[in-house]
């Protein structure tokens, strides 16, 4: 390619077209996870669906692999060369209160949606961190704050506009394009780039929620108490527990400074009185509470429950799902990633089940609806190297193999943790085969491969690459 080629591309795009060395290139390529650094040959900062079409056609003409980035939370592999499409400028949000739906463009974050839906007593099925991009989160399944109450966010999708590998823009519904609809919801950007998505909202105006905080040294059995407490809870109770190594820093509140803290997160969709009654047994058995922040709150304040920091950081993450979880598995988690771990680990156990098990009104590729718990382990790459960190996570997840039943694209890691074997664990075998066949139909050259990749296959045995 020569400069004339890029000028031709730029003439068809309203947003910026950037090459290495251009002003703005470094900022444009950088996403939320600083451990993964895209270095594409060219970046297209899309402002509209037509920009995405022009970028995809250009990539196809020159044989460039395509990556897409909304916020950069769900990185899989870095783009070394190729073409990167950033969608953050596509920020339109339209709420239909009567239909209880919201339509978003490709770069919208949940923090842009919730203020628009909350005045109507409606809520999206967002994750715990509202600064995450809506479209990639939903296409990955969407295991969110209210997952037990309402299930996967992907199950709420009504329609999508998607640019496929031939550069065409398709309006996809479960009736008009059932195969592509099925594959996109669970297969993410393997089949095209979604530029617009319409999804249902739920009738939730308020929650009883917040957190219970424990000193892990004074209350070492919180994980066990949490596991016992979750048995038999109604699906209106959504919760998780995180074990967090708090830095010895003056910005950290004194009761938590320099300690390992258990943070139990609560999001109950029923009344405050019923929520207090359901939480009481955990409060009584988990150990001495360091402090608590539980209250009735408007849904617009639900981000305070997890209080996920919005600051971009380098991190490594891995995930496992469990249909059953017992004392042996908990002991394994603490042995490898607890307070005595060789590198600091943030461990979170999410209670699933409830509405997650329900079949969607329109089938999709999202799997593992029978899972009861999700384990996410994150290591922040501050003061430690990735070389030091990877063996810790590998040791933990190797040891958890007897109980591990799969994974989720919403929490899957990057690089070596996003390879073919890991991607396979996110799907049922028959679904993976069908995904490979649909990929062969819509993207036979695997143009969209800088992702949690599903390779095209025509021989009946889907593979990943």
């Amino acid at each position: 390619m020569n400069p004339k080629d890029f000028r031709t591309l730029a003439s068809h795009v309203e947003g910026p077209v950037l090459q290495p060395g251009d002003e703005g290139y470094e900022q444009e390529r950088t996403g939320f996870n600083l451990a993964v650094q895209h270095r594409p040959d060219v970046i297209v900062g899309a402002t509209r669906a037509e920009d995405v079409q022009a970028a995809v056609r250009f990539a196809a003409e020159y044989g460039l692999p395509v990556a897409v980035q909304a916020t950069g939370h769900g990185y899989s592999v870095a783009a070394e060369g190729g073409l990167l499409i950033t969608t953050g400028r596509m920020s339109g949000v339209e709420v239909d209160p009567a239909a209880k739906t919201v339509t978003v463009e490709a770069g919208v974050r949940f923090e842009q949606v919730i203020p628009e839906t909350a005045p109507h007593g409606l809520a999206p099925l967002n994750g715990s961190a509202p600064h995450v991009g809506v479209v990639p989160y939903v296409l990955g399944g969407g295991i969110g704050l209210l997952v037990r109450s309402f299930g996967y966010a992907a199950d709420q999708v009504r329609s999508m506009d998607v640019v496929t590998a031939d550069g065409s823009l398709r309006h996809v519904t479960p009736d008009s394009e059932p195969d592509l609809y099925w594959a996109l919801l669970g297969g993410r950007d393997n089949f095209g780039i979604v530029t617009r998505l319409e999804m249902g909202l739920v009738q939730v105006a308020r929650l009883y929620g917040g957190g219970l905080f424990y000193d892990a040294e004074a209350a070492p059995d919180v994980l066990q108490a949490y596991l016992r407490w979750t048995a038999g809870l109604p699906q209106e109770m959504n919760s998780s527990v995180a074990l967090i190594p708090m830095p010895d820093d003056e910005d950290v509140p004194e009761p938590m400074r320099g300690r390992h803290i258990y943070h139990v997160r609560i999001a109950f969709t029923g009344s405050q009185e019923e929520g207090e009654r359901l939480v009481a047994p955990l409060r009584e058995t988990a150990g001495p509470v360091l402090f608590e922040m539980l209250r009735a709150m408007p849904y617009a304040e639900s981000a305070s429950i997890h209080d996920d920091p919005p600051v971009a950081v380098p991190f490594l993450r891995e995930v496992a799902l469990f249909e059953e979880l017992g004392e042996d598995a908990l002991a394994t988690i603490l042995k490898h990633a607890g307070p005595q771990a060789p590198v600091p680990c943030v461990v979170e156990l999410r209670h699933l089940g409830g509405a997650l098990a329900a079949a969607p009104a329109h089938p999709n590729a999202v799997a593992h609806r029978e899972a009861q718990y999700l384990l996410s382990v994150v290591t922040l790459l501050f003061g430690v190297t990735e070389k030091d960190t990877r063996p810790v996570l590998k040791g933990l997840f190797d040891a958890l193999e007897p109980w591990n039943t799969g994974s989720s694209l919403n929490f899957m890691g990057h690089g070596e943790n996003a390879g073919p074997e890991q991607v396979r664990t996110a799907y049922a075998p028959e679904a993976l085969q069908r995904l490979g066949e649909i990929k062969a139909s819509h993207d036979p050259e695997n143009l969209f491969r800088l992702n949690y990749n599903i390779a095209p296959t025509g021989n009946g045995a889907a593979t990943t690459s």
Side-chain angles (χ1 to χ4, degrees):
M1 290 179 292
N2 59 52
K4 181 179 179 181
D5 299 322
F6 292 111
R7 287 196 296 272
T8 300
L9 172 61
S11 70
H12 292 89
V13 173
E14 284 192 354
V17 174
L18 304 170
Q19 296 175 256
D22 288 348
E23 182 179 356
Y25 174 89
E26 293 297 320
Q27 181 179 357
E28 194 75 20
R29 72 181 179 88
T30 301
F32 187 81
N33 187 352
L34 300 181
V36 182
Q37 295 289 329
H38 287 313
R39 291 182 176 83
D41 295 320
V42 59
I43 303 174
V44 173
T47 64
R48 54 180 186 156
E50 291 84 354
D51 290 357
V52 177
Q53 289 182 274
V56 169
R57 289 168 181 162
F58 180 87
E61 180 180 354
Y62 289 96
L64 299 174
V66 175
V68 60
Q69 174 178 287
T71 61
H73 285 75
Y75 272 151
S76 50
V77 296
E80 295 290 345
L83 185 148
L84 172 65
I85 299 172
T86 59
T87 62
R89 294 172 181 81
M90 300 176 69
S91 57
V93 178
E94 297 178 12
V95 178
D96 185 335
K100 297 182 181 179
T101 62
V102 63
T103 300
V104 301
E105 291 185 326
V108 170
R109 304 178 302 278
F110 278 110
E111 63 190 4
Q112 296 168 284
V113 174
I114 295 170
E116 300 298 321
T117 61
H120 307 288
L122 300 170
L125 293 185
N126 56 281
S128 59
H131 46 276
V132 167
V134 175
V135 168
Y137 165 85
V138 172
L139 297 184
I143 296 179
L145 190 65
L146 304 181
V147 66
R148 282 179 47 79
S149 298
F150 300 104
Y152 281 114
D155 296 349
Q156 297 289 332
V157 173
R158 308 287 180 85
S159 69
M160 294 166 278
D161 291 348
V162 56
V163 176
T164 49
D166 60 0
S168 63
L169 180 65
R170 300 171 182 241
H171 183 65
V172 175
T173 72
D175 297 320
S176 67
E177 302 237 27
D179 282 347
L180 193 52
Y181 175 93
W182 179 88
L184 283 164
L185 296 174
R188 278 191 41 161
D189 49 341
N190 273 284
F191 306 92
I193 298 177
V194 171
T195 61
R196 179 180 173 275
L197 182 146
E198 177 192 12
M199 64 181 178
L201 301 167
V202 297
Q203 193 82 47
V204 176
R206 299 185 66 80
L207 294 173
Y208 173 69
L212 298 168
F213 296 82
Y214 300 85
D215 179 356
E217 184 176 352
D221 299 325
V222 170
L223 273 183
Q224 292 84 346
Y226 175 79
L227 191 65
R228 293 191 296 269
W229 174 69
T230 57
L233 284 174
Q235 69 182 42
E236 292 79 10
M237 179 59 78
N238 303 272
S239 67
S240 70
V241 57
L243 177 59
I244 307 170
M246 303 300 291
D248 188 5
D249 189 286
E250 62 182 13
D251 291 334
V252 177
E254 194 281 328
M256 299 192 293
R257 193 177 300 161
R259 301 182 181 186
H260 269 79
I261 298 296
Y262 280 112
H263 180 194
V264 178
R265 292 84 174 258
I266 303 293
F268 180 62
T269 57
S271 69
Q272 179 176 350
E273 294 74 20
E274 181 64 6
E276 291 173 346
R277 185 189 71 79
L278 289 170
V279 171
L282 176 64
R283 186 187 287 109
E284 293 165 2
T285 60
V289 177
L290 196 60
F291 63 94
E292 68 175 75
M293 299 173 66
L294 286 171
R295 62 187 175 91
M297 66 175 69
Y299 192 81
E301 298 177 10
S302 60
S304 66
I305 295 173
H306 283 243
D307 199 24
D308 290 327
V311 180
V313 292
F315 64 89
L316 188 65
R317 178 172 58 195
E318 189 53 280
V319 61
L321 295 169
F322 307 94
E323 293 181 30
E324 296 180 359
L325 197 60
E327 298 290 330
D328 289 345
L330 291 184
T332 300
I333 294 168
L334 290 173
K335 175 183 176 182
H336 290 269
Q340 305 307 314
V343 297
C345 298
V346 178
V347 177
E348 184 186 35
L349 189 65
R350 297 195 180 206
H351 187 204
L352 304 180
L356 191 77
H362 303 288
N364 58 49
V366 180
H368 303 306
R369 295 175 181 272
E370 68 285 349
Q372 296 297 310
Y373 297 93
L374 179 147
L375 175 71
S376 170
V377 182
V378 173
T379 55
L380 299 178
L381 303 178
F382 296 141
V384 296
T385 67
E386 205 163 325
K387 182 178 179 181
D388 296 324
T389 301
R390 287 191 184 279
V392 173
L393 292 188
K394 186 177 188 307
L396 168 61
F397 285 91
D398 284 351
L400 288 173
E401 189 62 30
W403 305 284
N404 186 350
T405 59
S407 63
S408 164
L409 295 192
N410 286 142
F411 296 87
M412 194 175 285
H414 65 267
E416 294 178 12
N417 291 345
E421 292 302 320
Q422 286 77 12
V423 172
R424 287 189 184 97
T425 65
Y427 305 101
E430 61 276 11
L432 186 60
Q433 177 172 319
R434 183 181 174 191
L435 286 166
E437 293 166 355
I438 295 172
K439 176 79 168 182
S441 175
H442 290 283
D443 183 16
E445 301 301 321
N446 205 5
L447 189 73
F448 303 119
R449 61 181 180 269
L450 298 176
N451 49 27
Y452 296 117
N453 191 235
I454 299 166
T457 177
N459 60 10
T463 60
T464 57
S465 64

